[in-house]
Amino acid sequence: MDFIVKHDITAQDQEELFTGLRRYNKQFIDVSLWGHLAVYSRDEHDVMQGGVIARQEGEWLNIHYVWVHEDRRGSGLGRELMQRTAKEALAMGCRHALVDTFSFQALPFYQKLGYVLKMTLPDFPQPGMQRHYLTRDLTV
């Protein structure tokens, strides 16, 4: 058996690995309730001012990315994006949401929205920083 070490992952290698993983996981997980969700805000010039990219995984919404343009932070846009995302997630059948954030990002923002801190990894991604994982019950 050969072992290959790479520092660049090709699309073909990734797809081959994912195909094997999905085939195995299908024995245990109903993926019919899995899909993507994005909510964006654009200005009058069609320039993105913020957005959320997430993935429905059964009854969970796994929020991968949240961004608000620096000029719009503190304006309520982030809250509105998250509220619209939660509303759509509920309509899709999600009951819970998961998000993670680094210590220099938005922990207080998520907590104000009702997200509860579940775990913190110290010194991630580098010494002196943390990665926080939060969840929220979307039904309340």
Side-chain angles (χ1 to χ4, degrees):
M1 180 179 301
D2 290 333
F3 291 91
I4 300 160
V5 176
K6 291 183 172 183
H7 293 272
D8 291 318
I9 302 166
T10 67
Q12 179 181 346
D13 288 343
Q14 181 173 306
E15 188 54 39
E16 189 174 352
L17 187 144
F18 285 173
T19 297
L21 182 60
R22 286 183 198 114
R23 185 172 39 249
Y24 176 78
N25 288 350
K26 281 184 181 181
Q27 301 172 76
F28 307 100
I29 298 172
D30 177 9
V31 295
S32 66
L33 294 177
W34 287 45
H36 299 278
L37 173 60
V39 177
Y40 305 118
S41 174
R42 294 184 175 275
D43 68 13
E44 63 278 2
H45 304 290
D46 202 33
V47 175
M48 188 176 293
Q49 298 299 300
V52 176
I53 293 177
R55 181 161 172 82
Q56 179 185 14
E57 298 171 355
E59 292 187 350
W60 281 83
L61 184 71
N62 189 353
I63 300 169
H64 292 280
Y65 304 103
V66 178
W67 172 75
V68 174
H69 190 282
E70 292 80 7
D71 295 342
R72 298 295 311 272
R73 292 183 186 159
S75 71
L77 177 59
R79 181 181 62 249
E80 181 68 22
L81 285 165
M82 292 297 288
Q83 289 172 341
R84 288 176 184 245
T85 299
K87 183 177 179 180
E88 184 62 26
L90 274 167
M92 294 167 60
C94 294
R95 299 174 48 79
H96 313 277
L98 167 69
V99 69
D100 67 272
T101 188
F102 294 123
S103 52
F104 61 88
Q105 291 178 323
L107 178 62
F109 168 75
Y110 294 118
Q111 290 174 317
K112 286 180 195 173
L113 294 175
Y115 284 80
V116 177
L117 181 63
K118 295 295 183 174
M119 181 179 80
T120 297
L121 295 175
D123 296 325
F124 189 98
Q126 61 192 41
M129 294 181 182
Q130 301 85 38
R131 187 170 188 175
H132 305 290
Y133 292 84
L134 302 96
T135 62
R136 180 178 162 213
D137 182 342
L138 297 175
T139 65
V140 294

